[in-house]
Amino acid sequence: MADGPDRIGPDMGPKRTFGGKARGLVRAFTTKDGLIGSYDYVFLFKPNIPFLKKTRRAAPFFGIHDKMPVLLALLLGFQHALSMLAGIITPPILISGQGGANLVGAEQQYLVSTSLIVCGILSSIQITRFHIYKTPYYIGTGLISVVGTSFAIIPVATGALTQMYSNGRCPTAADGTKLPCPDGYGAILGTSTVCALLEIGLSFMPPRILQKFFPPLVTGPTVTLIGVHLIESGFMGWAGGSGLCASRPTSGPFMLCPSNTAPHALPWGSAEFIGLGFSVLVAIIICEKFGSPIMKSTSVIWGLLIGCIIAAACGYFDRSGIDASPAVSFIWVHTFKLSIYGPIVLPMLAVYIVLLMEAIGDITATCDVSRLEVDGALFDSRIQGGVLADGFNGLVAGLCTITPMSTFAQNNGVIALTRCANRKAGYACCFFLLVMGIFSKFAAALVAIPSAVLGGMTTFLFCAVAVSGIRIISTVTFTRRNRFILTTSMALGFGATLVPNWFSFVFTYKGDNHAKRGFFDAIVLVMETGFAIAAFVAIFLNLTLSEEIEFEEPELEDTRGENKDGETVQAESELKDVGKGDYDENTATQLPD
């Protein structure tokens, strides 16, 4: 029997009927073996206490088709959901907040809720794996390949919104205060929806072709620069916020952060804000050092929780948004007018290229930790289905008012830690994400988190993105050609990231030709988006620069011979020279006396 879409090796078991599946479902919920099983639940919750003897017994491994207890599936699914939570809520909060579209509180809460709901629905597509009728193609991986809101869109979206405020597309008050710009957010959604077609089209190419055009030499510096750019926004929040208060004005409603009327408002960079951020980071470190397996995989959430408890005890929380929020929410409660913003088309295409290569890497890692093959026809099929689902999810997310999705890598750590690759845990994860999103009071509480607490968490997360890029770069062979490509691309990328307005004054056109202005704005936005320019330069150089033959050490001539007994001896003239003169370690040659 041929391999099925979700199985390594032949399926020798009989095909289950509907009645058999129904009986199995009843047994799962009515028997002790089906509900609880014999799993060692203490393993998940036992902390790493110093000076105590540590057990070395490994937990059993659950493959993607193995039977597992319902309670364990729910527990591990909840662990997956918690490990994703921080990554899912961060992009909508930052893009809709003061550093982005400045949306009203109700719209920010809606976006956080919808992000959780959409991630739950679209993750189920990746996990289920659908066959496209009468084709050899699939949608989805058939693994625990969960998706979340991509970090890569944050620098593009915030840069585009800043440009929209400067060119008048987004409204600004007479005193310079940025007003809510839902149309600007809609332009980002519309552009990302159209650009998702690039990843969908590329998904039908063989993985080896994609690797040729987008190797680690291209994706490594790109991902690194995304993380470096995001760390800036995380640190701004850590110090109090990224809005108007960050400039420490001496008058007006934003002398204090987040505003003069906020509870326990302080000047930007105050010691109290710095301490709140550090409380999150210290809690994450403690969880990593002493926490149980389930705490280690959710250490970021525990750090956020500890920071929120301290902030609430010190009076930093504003309950008004939580009290005013509705009890439940769902997709399209708020809508945004979709449009295309030309200047971000090229940066958005670069985002989807990054998402494509991230998907390939994450799916490969998921196959590895799930104990499945990482080469061959079935693996290539999983890559094709995963990349197609990634692009399709980006398109659907835009229509559901959410920015592009990406395949999350942190859940591979949960799989490796818990030794569970079973898709039941993935479906349980989707269920918990849906519940979190539908009950909008939960989202309102997340939006109310003080910027300093959120900044401490996001700085850690964003640095993890940069470290992922460095890990990708570490897989590159450092030949002269590759070093040159990395140096050139990262020189422009780091420069544009560290000095973001370096290209703002190149074009001085102020006329009424909107097409011309839009063309210039597009060039400026690409040149000022560090990871985008690095990606395009790396792709160009990788395709045009040929490989060079590296210098090889010449082989030394063998001057040894054999004596009459067949033994190998060194030439007499060389033996006489041994020990004469001084030895230069730098040149490895014998110097004359």
Side-chain angles (χ1 to χ4, degrees), residues 540-591:
F540 173 77
L541 293 178
N542 182 60
L543 294 177
T544 56
L545 292 182
S546 58
E547 292 281 358
E548 295 182 359
I549 299 176
E550 292 293 300
F551 175 75
E552 297 181 358
E553 291 289 341
E555 294 185 3
L556 296 178
E557 182 180 355
D558 190 358
T559 59
R560 297 176 300 172
E562 293 184 357
N563 60 12
K564 61 182 180 179
D565 297 325
E567 299 175 346
T568 303
V569 296
Q570 193 171 5
E572 183 179 356
S573 59
E574 293 184 7
L575 290 173
K576 292 180 179 179
D577 292 334
V578 173
K580 294 177 61 179
D582 299 319
Y583 190 76
D584 186 346
E585 294 183 354
N586 295 324
T587 60
T589 57
Q590 194 83 13
L591 297 180

Side-chain angles (χ1 to χ4, degrees), residues 477-493:
T477 303
F478 274 73
T479 62
R480 184 184 183 281
R481 169 188 178 271
N482 292 347
R483 287 197 303 269
F484 179 83
I485 294 174
L486 286 171
T487 302
T488 306
S489 60
M490 297 186 79
L492 293 171

Side-chain angles (χ1 to χ4, degrees), residues 490-559:
M490 297 186 79
L492 293 171
F494 271 115
T497 301
L498 297 175
V499 188
N501 63 340
W502 75 292
F503 211 79
S504 297
F505 310 103
V506 173
F507 301 116
T508 58
Y509 178 75
K510 301 294 183 182
D512 297 330
N513 189 328
H514 294 290
K516 189 175 182 179
R517 288 184 61 183
F519 176 71
F520 288 152
D521 287 346
I523 296 175
V524 170
L525 195 57
V526 171
M527 297 300 293
E528 292 184 352
T529 304
F531 80 87
I533 186 173
F536 290 131
V537 170
I539 291 172
F540 173 77
L541 293 178
N542 182 60
L543 294 177
T544 56
L545 292 182
S546 58
E547 292 281 358
E548 295 182 359
I549 299 176
E550 292 293 300
F551 175 75
E552 297 181 358
E553 291 289 341
E555 294 185 3
L556 296 178
E557 182 180 355
D558 190 358
T559 59

